[in-house]
Every structure is written in structure tokens, then in C-alpha cells.
Amino acid sequence: TGFSLDLVIKDVEVYMPQMLELNQIVAYHCTLGNYQWFMNLAGRTETDPFSLVGDFLSIEDHKKWSIDDAMYEGLSRHWKCYLLTVFGEHHQCADLAIEHGISGAVKSNPGSFSIAMFEVFAKGISSFVAARATSERLKRRKYMKNALALRKRVRQWIEKGARDVGHLNAFFDAEHKALKGKHFSAILNYQVAVTIAARNGYLLDAGLFSETFGEYLLSVDDKDEASFRLQEAVKYYQDFGARRKVAMLEEKHRKLLSPESLEISMKTEGSNIFIK
């Protein structure tokens, strides 16, 4: 998520024909699945944004490969969760984490830290957000169990020297503080998470963190600051190239993202605590 989505798509379009030419069929299957959701996120397809099948990956191929290839089947579940998280359907992703476990993609693709990190990213974020938004005690407890287990995993990675998950650790800390009702600490950790992600070039992560931060602020009725954070999320998504996500966010928060709301939030910025 540290590269332009358009550049990633160009690379994929170069390498997929080479995979077929070299008879790397499994790699081709997995890359084509990635290509479909890349195009969904970039707004280059009319496909349902949550769908793994559409203009580039047919439902027939998807079903066949899911049966024939355990690696593809595990990855497809992971892609589904990732799309649900990025597009804000946190309850659905958190429910899939309960149904299939928090390590399903890793078990089907052992040895891949990048897959492990993306799986923790999607399922951890959605489990925390779903726990905050759920009043049903049993479901909330299940969401919390997964969220805390994934938070612990990120901390263990950091203890072993992982350098690419500091922003995710800060975000999980923010969500944990928010769940505990520690509003001031939650705000500080959200700000740290966004700052680390942005400074390291993780534009999609920074966008998602800013969006979640903004919606948390809405839940505590801080509309001016929420407007600023949501506008910040739009900027990060635009810079990354996630045009479909930008359109959906602007539609969802049309009033808060209007020029008038942004002007108000910018005027009140100086009265709030910011970490630059």
C-alpha cells in the first residue's frame, strides 16, 4: 500500500502474460484475483466493489480454482475480507474472521509475511470497529477476542524486529482505548497511527485510519474535527489512486465533506491537539 495503485496495476498487466507464457498457472490465478480487486478499488470496473468476480475474473474460473487450488481458495477469502475492510463493511469482515479464523490465509499460504500482515490488517481493523459498533454482548465478545489476539500478534512482530507494522500497532492501541472509553488517549493514538502511515508512504492505510478516526469522532459528536479527518482520508485515497473509495466516501459523508464544512473544520483546527 506504499505505491500508487495505477503503477501496481501496470506492473500486473505486464507480468500476467509472462506467467502464462512460463506456465506459472497458480501464480497467474492468484494474480488475476488481485487484479480484479485492484481494478475495483481504482474505479476501473462496474463490478460490485466487494466482488472478487467480474470484468476480469469469471465466476466459473473462481469457483473452479477455489476447488482445485487450496492456495487460491485461502487467498480469495483473504481478498474478500480486505475489500470489506477497505470499503467499510467491518461487520461482514469480522464475521468472516469468526467463521474462518484469524489465520486462514496464512495457513493456506505458509511462509508469506506479506499475506500475514494484510490478513492481520483487515481482520484486526474490522474486528475492533465491529466491536465498538455492536451492542449484542456475545457478538461483541467474539469480535473483541479476535481483535485482541491480532493486536497481540502485531506486538510480537515488533518485539522480533518487524519495522512495517508500527502504524498498525498504534491504530490497534487507538481502537482499544476507544473501546475502553479513554477518549483522549484514543485520539492521540489515532493521530500517531495516521502520522506514521503517511510518513512511511502507506497511503491506503493512512486513508483508512483517517476515515475510521473521523467516524469515531462522529460517534462522540465532534463534527468539526470529524469533517477535517474525513477530508484528510479523501486526500490519502486520491493520492493512492483509490477512486472508487473516494466516490463512496464522498457520497456517504456528503454534508461533512462539503466546502462549507471543510472551511469550518480548518478554522477550528488550532484549538485541537494535532501531531504533525
Side-chain angles (χ1 to χ4, degrees), residues 193-261:
V194 172
T195 300
I196 295 174
R199 286 180 178 174
N200 285 282
Y202 300 127
L203 298 176
L204 181 60
D205 300 7
L208 188 56
F209 293 171
S210 296
E211 177 187 357
T212 309
F213 184 14
E215 293 189 338
Y216 166 71
L217 290 166
L218 280 179
S219 74
V220 295
D221 204 30
D222 189 348
K223 292 183 180 180
D224 290 341
E225 180 69 3
S227 176
F228 177 80
R229 293 298 173 176
L230 291 170
Q231 184 65 36
E232 188 178 52
V234 168
K235 180 182 181 299
Y236 288 129
Y237 289 139
Q238 286 175 333
D239 290 346
F240 179 62
R243 290 173 286 276
R244 175 76 71 87
K245 176 63 184 181
V246 169
M248 293 175 70
L249 187 60
E250 288 180 336
E251 176 63 25
K252 181 179 180 180
H253 295 293
R254 190 183 310 167
K255 292 182 179 179
L256 283 172
L257 292 173
S258 67
E260 295 81 7
S261 295

Side-chain angles (χ1 to χ4, degrees), residues 62-95:
H62 176 67
K63 287 181 177 179
K64 183 179 185 301
W65 297 343
S66 294
I67 294 171
D68 295 344
D69 187 342
M71 181 182 293
Y72 177 87
E73 195 269 342
L75 278 175
S76 66
R77 289 179 180 175
H78 161 62
W79 296 327
K80 183 70 172 180
C81 274
Y82 196 80
L83 279 173
L84 289 169
T85 298
V86 170
F87 285 114
E89 297 295 331
H90 296 294
H91 281 85
Q92 289 188 51
C93 179
D95 288 341

Side-chain angles (χ1 to χ4, degrees), residues 29-47:
H29 291 173
C30 294
T31 304
L32 187 59
N34 275 321
Y35 185 59
Q36 178 67 63
W37 75 259
F38 289 163
M39 298 297 271
N40 290 358
L41 191 55
R44 296 195 193 180
T45 172
E46 296 300 319
T47 302

Side-chain angles (χ1 to χ4, degrees), residues 11-24:
D11 281 348
V12 171
E13 290 171 343
V14 168
Y15 294 129
M16 281 200 302
Q18 295 178 16
M19 292 174 191
L20 289 177
E21 184 179 344
L22 296 171
N23 201 33
Q24 299 297 310

Side-chain angles (χ1 to χ4, degrees), residues 152-191:
K152 181 179 179 181
R153 186 174 299 174
V154 169
R155 291 187 164 190
Q156 289 172 340
W157 288 343
I158 291 174
E159 289 172 2
K160 293 177 181 178
R163 299 181 178 181
D164 297 331
V165 293
H167 62 306
L168 187 56
N169 184 54
F171 181 82
F172 284 172
D173 284 348
E175 285 292 322
H176 190 240
K177 297 296 185 184
L179 275 166
K180 295 291 185 181
K182 298 180 179 179
H183 177 64
F184 185 74
S185 295
I187 286 178
L188 290 178
N189 279 283
Y190 278 126
Q191 291 172 345

Side-chain angles (χ1 to χ4, degrees), residues 50-65:
F50 309 108
S51 178
L52 295 176
V53 298
D55 297 348
F56 308 101
L57 177 59
S58 71
I59 190 168
E60 293 79 12
D61 283 343
H62 176 67
K63 287 181 177 179
K64 183 179 185 301
W65 297 343

